[in-house]
């Protein structure tokens, strides 16, 4: 099932096609919030449907985890990325853009097999995300950029709890901080039990938040597929992350959750632009 999950996000020209799909379904299917602040059940055509039927019209954050193509030099990727991002952020409704460089693979705790970068961009709304994709998806800047990498995850997110509001300027806001990102597809897990998952996730986050060097936690859900959830944890430093990861008591407490609900992709990152808040 892991392969089928990844294939939903790995396609040439994905930015253009995904944004066009968003534009198409946003006019005919509601994107709705869960009344309890959790992920919602899946409706037709990938929309979110909640019992209260309240449509989601708030800001969204695009996430793209990208593995550079074999032989692609980082400098060429960065130049193509910066040219595209400059064009993208000039569009109406497009806000802060952040870029993070993977330094460890979350599955192995070893350096990634090849360069991996994660980009995040804030939009005023799903309509703004779709409009930018429709306009720029076939642009020369997009073509040059997309040809440099293979996407491991590409979707649009909102905070899992609709009462929350996340600001990208606050994620890795201090030099030296480290960001862990873990993406899960809840449809991957056989005989998935929502109550069990939510309870064990809450226990996991409670234990994690008590560790020295923990800074902040961000829990997201995709507005395109509510089965896709993303957790992000900020640590004071790489040393703080390493100390937590090597604490055997902590590891023993969290491994049942990790083993039963493993991410399909995840990395530990530093700030790719090296300035705390990206320019």
């Amino acid at each position: 099932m892991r392969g089928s999950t990844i294939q939903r996000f790995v396609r040439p020209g994905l930015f253009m096609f995904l944004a066009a799909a968003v534009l198409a379904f946003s006019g005919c299917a509601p994107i709705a919030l869960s009344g309890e602040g959790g992920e919602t059940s899946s409706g037709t055509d990938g929309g979110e449907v909640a019992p209260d039927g309240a449509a989601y019209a708030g800001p969204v954050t695009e996430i793209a985890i990208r593995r550079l193509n074999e032989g692609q030099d980082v400098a060429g990727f960065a130049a193509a990325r910066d040219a595209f991002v400059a064009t993208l952020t000039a569009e109406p409704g497009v806000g802060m853009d952040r870029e993070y460089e993977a330094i460890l693979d979350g599955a192995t705790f070893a350096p990634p097999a090849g360069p991996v970068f994660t980009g995040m961009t804030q939009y005023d709304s799903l309509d703004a995300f779709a409009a930018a994709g429709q306009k720029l998806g076939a642009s020369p800047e997009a073509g040059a950029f997309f040809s440099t990498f293979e996407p491991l995850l590409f979707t649009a997110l909102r905070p899992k709890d609709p009462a929350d509001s996340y600001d990208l300027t606050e994620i890795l806001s201090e030099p030296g901080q480290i960001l862990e990102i873990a993406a899960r597809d809840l449809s991957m897990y056989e005989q998935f039990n929502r109550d069990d998952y939510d309870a064990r996730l809450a226990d996991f986050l409670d234990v994690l938040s008590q560790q020295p060097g923990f800074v902040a936690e961000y829990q997201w859900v995709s507005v395109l597929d509510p089965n896709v959830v993303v957790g992000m944890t900020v640590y004071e430093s790489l040393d703080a992350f390493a100390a937590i990861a090597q604490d055997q008591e902590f590891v023993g407490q969290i491994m049942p959750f990790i083993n039963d609900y493993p991410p399909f992709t995840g990395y530990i990152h530093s700030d790719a632009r090296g300035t705390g808040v990206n320019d």
Side-chain angles (χ1 to χ4, degrees):
M1 297 181 70
R2 174 173 174 167
S4 63
T5 296
I6 294 175
Q7 285 304 313
R8 289 213 301 273
F9 303 99
V10 180
R11 295 183 176 89
L14 189 56
F15 182 86
M16 177 176 64
F17 295 133
L18 180 57
V22 172
L23 195 63
F25 83 69
S26 63
C28 61
I31 297 172
L33 299 179
S34 165
E36 298 180 354
E39 297 91 338
T40 58
S41 60
S42 179
T44 58
D45 298 327
E48 290 187 72
V49 179
D52 59 11
Y56 179 72
V60 300
T61 299
E62 171 197 324
I63 182 171
I65 301 180
R66 326 178 201 91
R67 180 168 56 211
L68 270 58
N69 295 333
E70 186 174 356
Q72 173 65 53
D73 65 283
V74 173
F77 160 80
R81 175 199 65 206
D82 292 348
F84 174 71
V85 168
T87 303
L88 174 63
T89 53
E91 291 299 306
V94 182
M96 170 66 67
D97 179 83
R98 299 295 303 269
E99 187 76 18
Y100 311 104
E101 180 176 8
I103 55 178
L104 295 173
D105 186 320
T108 65
F109 291 98
V116 173
F117 290 83
T118 296
M120 297 180 68
T121 308
Q122 285 188 317
Y123 298 80
D124 289 349
S125 65
L126 194 60
D127 285 344
F129 168 72
Q134 185 179 49
K135 179 176 179 179
L136 301 179
S139 67
E141 293 85 357
F145 178 43
F146 299 149
S147 68
T148 63
F149 64 84
E150 171 192 4
L152 303 178
L153 171 65
F154 185 42
T155 192
L157 306 170
R158 67 161 174 87
K160 177 182 176 182
D161 185 340
D164 288 337
S165 178
Y166 296 156
D167 184 346
L168 290 187
T169 63
E170 298 176 356
I171 300 178
L172 293 199
S173 58
E174 298 293 336
Q177 289 181 340
I178 296 299
L179 175 65
E180 181 179 14
I181 298 177
R184 292 176 169 86
D185 182 344
L186 304 183
S187 69
M188 289 175 58
Y189 310 123
E190 295 183 5
Q191 299 180 335
F192 176 71
N193 182 292
R194 167 72 62 182
D195 291 339
D196 179 75
Y197 173 80
D198 285 344
R200 293 171 66 183
L201 173 63
D203 290 344
F204 165 74
L205 295 178
D206 180 61
V207 172
L208 178 60
S209 68
Q210 298 176 41
Q211 303 308 304
F214 169 91
V215 174
E217 179 68 27
Y218 303 88
Q219 288 287 309
W220 308 81
V221 57
S222 171
V223 297
L224 305 180
D225 180 353
N227 285 312
V228 176
V229 295
V230 178
M232 300 183 184
T233 309
V234 177
Y235 303 90
E236 287 181 355
S237 64
L238 184 58
D239 287 343
F241 170 79
I244 293 173
Q246 295 170 19
D247 184 324
Q248 294 304 305
E249 181 179 357
F250 169 74
V251 171
Q253 289 176 294
I254 68 166
M255 283 312 295
F257 173 76
I258 299 298
N259 287 336
D260 287 348
Y261 300 108
F264 68 81
T265 191
Y267 293 90
I268 292 84
H269 304 72
S270 62
D271 187 334
R273 296 185 179 118
T275 57
V277 174
N278 296 166
D279 295 332

